[in-house]
Amino acid sequence: MNCRGAFQFLCENSLTCTLYRHTYHANAQQYRTNATRTTRENQQNSKTNTQPPESSMNDWVGPPHSVSNLRPVKYYIPPNETPLEKNYRERRQEVWKWNQEFWEKHNKSFVQKKEEYVQSKLADKRASFKGEGDPPQTLSADEMSIFYKRFLNDNYKNHIWYNKEWYKKNISLLWPALQVSFSRFMTRLKRS
């Protein structure tokens, strides 16, 4: 017997359990309704307003870039930004820019090599095609898996380098982030 079964067994005739079940189901239905409504509102709003409002006091994340698939970030700059906060923000922007450039270059290379592979394989299939009907227009998943494996193997060292650099850059942001957090904490402490 699992936990849920044991709970149902112990509480089968309990008034509290009955109230819990009714409350749970009502809340679950309300949650599903709200989630659906929120999703629809977000879809409508995302089409109409992609720029953050002028009064925003947070970083904003935009829709994915068409090539790199990374979401651009518009960093919030407070009016009274300290040199420590500015340094941290600029370093974050540099890391994001480096990441964007890497994936943009990588994905362009991937798309180009994939297109070359597909055209080459389709040309080979059409040349050896002997039959009635239309010649092949697409490659199977098995045929494409050969390309994916080769691409990953060819770029193995590049991916290892990227991972090492990405970790170094992000770890190097920890100390400035800690300094900014401590500075903000001290500022709040002085105010109160």
Side-chain angles (χ1 to χ4, degrees):
M1 179 181 284
N2 61 19
C3 290
R4 186 174 182 168
F7 178 76
Q8 286 176 343
F9 175 76
L10 292 173
C11 297
E12 218 167 29
N13 296 322
S14 166
L15 177 61
T16 307
C17 187
T18 303
L19 289 174
Y20 167 77
R21 280 195 299 261
H22 288 295
T23 305
Y24 170 78
H25 291 296
N27 287 342
Q29 179 60 36
Q30 181 66 32
Y31 173 75
R32 283 192 292 274
T33 304
N34 287 342
T36 304
R37 186 180 313 120
T38 303
T39 302
R40 283 189 204 122
E41 289 169 359
N42 287 344
Q43 288 171 347
Q44 290 170 352
N45 290 342
S46 69
K47 293 175 186 172
T48 58
N49 185 15
T50 58
Q51 293 296 320
E54 294 295 323
S55 61
S56 172
M57 298 179 66
N58 298 305
D59 295 339
W60 275 68
V61 178
H65 186 269
S66 61
V67 179
S68 71
N69 293 321
L70 297 178
R71 295 179 174 271
V73 179
K74 182 172 175 29
Y75 293 94
Y76 171 66
I77 304 172
N80 56 348
E81 184 177 45
T82 65
L84 199 59
E85 292 171 328
K86 182 178 181 181
N87 176 42
Y88 175 55
R89 178 181 51 81
E90 287 173 347
R91 289 181 66 180
R92 287 173 59 208
Q93 288 173 325
E94 288 171 14
V95 170
W96 188 90
K97 184 180 176 192
W98 171 82
N99 200 25
Q100 169 71 20
E101 289 169 356
F102 174 85
W103 284 109
E104 196 168 341
K105 180 181 170 189
H106 179 274
N107 290 351
K108 282 180 183 177
S109 170
F110 173 80
V111 168
Q112 177 189 359
K113 290 180 181 179
K114 180 180 171 186
E115 188 62 31
E116 291 169 2
Y117 176 81
V118 168
Q119 293 305 320
S120 169
K121 287 294 181 184
L122 284 176
D124 292 346
K125 284 177 102 174
R126 289 181 189 132
S128 64
F129 179 71
K130 295 176 185 168
E132 295 186 23
D134 295 330
Q137 300 294 321
T138 60
L139 297 178
S140 69
D142 289 337
E143 292 169 317
M144 287 305 298
S145 70
I146 295 167
F147 165 75
Y148 297 134
K149 182 176 180 2
R150 186 181 319 147
F151 184 82
L152 287 174
N153 288 341
D154 292 346
N155 288 285
Y156 178 77
K157 287 184 181 178
N158 196 23
H159 291 159
I160 294 295
W161 171 84
Y162 167 79
N163 282 335
K164 286 179 183 177
E165 288 299 310
W166 187 84
Y167 278 109
K168 280 189 229 175
K169 290 175 184 295
N170 279 286
I171 288 172
S172 74
L173 291 174
L174 290 176
W175 180 245
L178 185 63
Q179 289 175 316
V180 167
S181 293
F182 184 73
S183 171
R184 288 177 181 168
F185 173 74
M186 293 305 290
T187 302
R188 284 189 204 124
L189 197 61
K190 288 176 186 176
R191 286 183 193 159
S192 57

